[in-house]
Structures are given as C-alpha cells and as structure tokens.
Amino acid sequence: MTPHDDDARTLDATGAATVRDEPGEWPVGARLLGTYEITGAPRTGGMGVVHPARHLEWDTAVAVKSPRRHLLGSPADRDNFMQEARTWVDLGLHPHICACLYVRTVDGFPRVFAEYVHGGSLADRMGGDDAPLYRGAEDEVLARILDIAVQTAWGLAHAHAQGVVHRDVKPGNILVGDDGQVRVTDFGLAQAAHGHRGTPRYRSPEQAARRATGPATDVWSLAVTVLEMCTGGGPGSTGRRLRRRWPTTVPTAAAGRESGPCRRGSPACWSGAWRTGRRTVRPAWTRSRPNWSPCTGK
C-alpha cells in the first residue's frame, strides 16, 4: 500500500507512451500497467470517472478513479491532487473506510486505485420510487438508517484520530456493501477539487464562510446526511415521501400531532424526530446488532 506514481513516462492501456487532454474510457478487457484489467462499464460522477477493474495477480476487485481535466488545470493542481490522494492512502486499513491502495499516473493523469465495494453508494440506495434503503417494515428501515449512521461515524472517527478531515461527507461518498458494511470513501479528493468547500447541500457553516475546518465539519455533513435519510429529502424537506409510507412516524410541524407537513426549519419537527429516534430507531438497531463491534465490523 505504498503510494507511488510513474514520473518517468506516461502510459496508455497497452503500455505505449501517449498524451491526452481528457481521461478516456477504457473498454472492458483493457489492461493497465500490465497489472489491472477493466471488468465493466465506467460510472461518471462530479469528480470524474470510476472504472471497475481486477488485479490480475491478486484476483481482487479494485476501483480506478480518474479526475476530470478541469480539476488538474495546472501543475500545482496536479500536485495537490496527488498529495490529497496519498493522505487517503496513509489512513491505512479500517473496516469503515474504503481502502486506497495507491495513486499512479496513467495516460497522463493521476489515477486513484481503491478498494471496490460491491453494493454501491448510500445515494444509490436512497434513490428511486422503490429505494432499497426504505424497504421493509418501519422498525427495520429505522434500524438500517441508524446502522449506516453509526458505521459512518466510526469511519470518520478513525480519520479524525489521525488528523484527517474528509470535508465532503455525503451519501455519494458513503459506500454500503451487499453485506451491510459501510465504508467512507474519497478522502481528500474533494479538498483538491473544491478548495475544502465540499458539496453545497452538505456544506458546514464554516465551509460556506470559507473559515478553517475541522472534525466538526464532518459531523455537520453527517448530520445532514442522516436527516436526509430520515426525511427522504434533507433540510427543509416536508418528509412527504416517507409520510406516505409511515403516516404516524414521520414527525410533523406540531409536536405530538400527526397532521400537516413539517414546516421548514421547525424546532418541533426536530424534536419530533429526536423522540421518534429514541422510541423506535435505537431499540430496533440494538436488537438487530446486539454484538456489534467497531473493531471487527461484525
């Protein structure tokens, strides 16, 4: 897991020297650096492109992350991106952090080689009319939400203990495996791209004001994420989507009453959510994970 890059030459998927202006999409079966084979179609996000691949010797799935060209507009931007990626590498192994193996230069661009998590992101599980996050009985869903929140917090706590702040905690950067294990991903990459300001929807007050950030920044963004899971829409949401499913559980504007939408920013809405969590989420999560350990992730 030692970070390294090819500073002597630039290689394409076949190993030939080349220069490109934009990270390209490799076809399935293409080989990188003689070590990795592309195994599926890429996924595109705000930061760039992610290719699923397989380490030929280890027979292990990896994700190859390629940043967009505009994020690397100058040598200083490129050096900053490489440094932030190495910060992620230095976090080492933890059950609730997606492991970053190393960063290397391929086709003239820095590529981050990270652990591949089968199952997708929390954002994937929250989207659509039949979102996987909300399947099942009420107490099962509430337990699932708290389970994801707690595992995410453990991953962030490990990073904070090493002096690393994520600064872009959001559903798209929280991976949920098919086995239910949660891993936080993309440490440092948002910092290189957005100057530590994060994604606007989940941005903390100090990020919005361009002030110094710290662990509390990630706590704020995680709280917004948890609120979004609970309401189906984040700050200012009426919770209408979830209230259609569980009309007596999703908090409303008037604490203790079950009619009318939750007003934007209503204190009663927040207190109702707190009471709901204490009454249903916490006991349900305790029943579902009686022997949970943050060290083993089991």
Side-chain angles (χ1 to χ4, degrees), residues 160 165 204-207 213-223:
H160 295 166
V165 180
S204 69
E206 60 269 23
Q207 285 177 300
T213 56
T217 299
D218 290 345
V219 174
W220 174 282
S221 300
L222 175 58

Side-chain angles (χ1 to χ4, degrees), residues 73-96:
S74 69
D77 291 336
R78 183 177 300 238
D79 291 343
N80 185 38
F81 184 90
M82 299 282 279
Q83 183 57 47
E84 295 293 355
R86 290 184 176 118
T87 298
W88 183 10
V89 173
D90 291 342
L91 285 176
L93 298 177
H94 187 274
H96 302 298

Side-chain angles (χ1 to χ4, degrees), residues 1 12 15 19 24 27 61 66 78 87 93 123 162 176 188 190 241 291:
M1 293 185 58
D12 67 7
V19 176
S66 306
R78 183 177 300 238
T87 298
L93 298 177
Q162 299 194 45
V176 184
R241 173 184 176 188
N291 299 314

Side-chain angles (χ1 to χ4, degrees), residues 43-50 63-67 71 81 84-89 91 96-100 112-115 117 121 156 159 164-175 183-194 198-199 218:
R43 296 189 60 176
T44 303
M47 293 291 297
V49 179
V50 180
V64 184
K65 298 174 178 282
S66 306
L71 302 179
F81 184 90
E84 295 293 355
R86 290 184 176 118
T87 298
W88 183 10
V89 173
L91 285 176
H96 302 298
I97 289 180
C98 179
C100 185
V112 174
F113 291 76
E115 175 185 13
V117 177
S121 71
L156 292 173
V164 176
V165 180
H166 192 290
R167 297 185 179 91
D168 195 27
V169 177
K170 59 183 179 181
N173 285 336
I174 298 173
L175 304 181
R183 299 172 179 85
V184 184
T185 189
D186 285 6
F187 279 87
L189 301 191
Q191 301 169 184
H194 304 302
T199 301
D218 290 345

